[in-house]
Amino acid sequence: MNSICLPVGLDPSDLDKLEVLIERKKPLQPRESVFLSGEPFTSIYAVRSGSIKSFCIDADGREQVTGFYFPGELFGWDGLANEHYQNTAIALETTSLCEIPYEKLDNLGNSIPSVQKYVMKLISREINADQQLIALLAGNSAQQKLASLLLSISDRLVQQKLSSTRLWLPMSRGEIGNYLGLTVETVSRVLGHFQRKKYLAVNKKEIEILDKKALRDLIRSPEEVE
Amino acid sequence: MNSICLPVGLDPSDLDKLEVLIERKKPLQPRESVFLSGEPFTSIYAVRSGSIKSFCIDADGREQVTGFYFPGELFGWDGLANEHYQNTAIALETTSLCEIPYEKLDNLGNSIPSVQKYVMKLISREINADQQLIALLAGNSAQQKLASLLLSISDRLVQQKLSSTRLWLPMSRGEIGNYLGLTVETVSRVLGHFQRKKYLAVNKKEIEILDKKALRDLIRSPEEVE
DNA sequence: CGGACCTTTGAAGACATTCAAGGCCTGTGG
DNA sequence: CCACAGGCCTTGAATGTCTTCAAAGGTCCG
């Protein structure tokens, strides 16, 4: 078994050196936190199994979900700028992680340029993901937002060699709504609508995508008449 | 005059080495592009004077503004992950930039760890900024979005030792709306509303903030009755 | 079984968008 | 120098989408 939990793209020899940095943690229970907003930044984390939600609390005390992370994905970069995590990260289900102490990673990067480059790429991937979310939030209807999220999760699971049509949503409707800038009720209604249109089969947190093309079309142009 | 166009926070000796990398470009005309979406990633840029808008074109061909950049701010990081710029960047007015070739920066980072660390911080600042925008887009009303943007621009100008209450918006109402996920009309109406409430004095692209506290309160909690 | 929490559904209402029209400013050409 | 065309911005009215408020049904876990 390949125990490394980082995305690939590095020489095997360098990979070995990277691997020794990584600490495997004992699994987290649902709702258990990885780090809290404001804590000193120490490490970045990779999801081995399970899923993570990250969120911040804004001026008026409301929670704002900023990301969901699935196996193979990294989180924790938000702490780098201020040396303190901006978000809180919690497990949505039983979740196991790899911890990568940033200082060690940084040291390794200083001696091996290719590792340095690699880390940079990982960070800037987070930028790209965030910008995609910005575009989604700014320009789209509730249906488009939800369709995008479902397709995004589907794509991300494919990369882990899991089914691309049957997915398990570890987060609540409320958390989805919060993430997408919608209310719980709207999320529920849109899922109901998609189900009636036979785009999805929804069974609580279990979703089967029946018509991927229809969802994709929806994103490109707002829905036509009923 | 301090010719460096990067935010401070580095030893003078290292700063000198950084400075030699920087290429000062001849000023850009309004609407002139810095780079186009899809072009190979070569450099990051710092705004010396003027302002920059970055945007991408999404699936259905619509423009989505992803950022505005003012003097002292850096842009172009979005190209790092794929080695191609994801966004197009154009000048909103006559603008002069510093170009920082990424390869040279990377090489310097490899020999001077403190520079490396510094670059990392710069990148992760972009992440934090993006996540703030996400929170803004997801959770807030038109009034809150616009109030946030104006206060954000005000704060950023203060850092450049410019007036914090009198500002010049180099972008059109449409570009503001696009950025915030609103229509032109809504932006115009909200600005009108703020003016009637004496929060602002608006004269075309010239804005004077009359009641910063009111705007801040607005962000914390949605507006009370008229 | 009971209670807490999450989800669904309905009805009413609010907010932002859409469609439409008019005003203002700028730059160009007569 | 004025007239006019084309942007961009503003304003109004109607529409629509999403939210809010309310209630009820499910599900999970003690």
Side-chain angles (χ1 to χ4, degrees), chain B residues 142 182-183 185-186 189:
Chain B
L182 301 171
T183 57
E185 295 93 328
T186 301
R189 274 187 256 269

Side-chain angles (χ1 to χ4, degrees), chain B residues 35 101 109 117 172:
Chain B
F35 50 75
K117 248 198 163 79
S172 73

Side-chain angles (χ1 to χ4, degrees), chain B residues 5-22:
Chain B
C5 37
L6 292 173
V8 289
L10 210 55
D11 285 355
S13 64
D14 293 338
L15 204 58
D16 289 343
K17 293 182 189 119
L18 193 53
E19 198 167 344
V20 301
L21 301 183
I22 295 173

Side-chain angles (χ1 to χ4, degrees), chain B residues 49-78:
Chain B
S49 68
S51 51
I52 293 289
K53 157 179 113 169
S54 81
F55 63 95
C56 58
I57 306 295
D58 56 4
D60 47 351
R62 278 176 324 196
E63 175 177 320
Q64 175 58 53
V65 176
T66 52
F68 298 116
Y69 298 91
F70 293 102
E73 299 178 339
L74 291 164
F75 64 95
W77 298 115
D78 61 284

Side-chain angles (χ1 to χ4, degrees), chain B residues 106-123:
Chain B
D106 197 35
N107 291 340
L108 186 64
N110 288 336
S111 53
I112 310 177
S114 68
V115 168
Q116 189 63 256
K117 248 198 163 79
Y118 180 65
V119 171
M120 289 286 203
K121 279 205 187 178
L122 292 179
I123 300 181

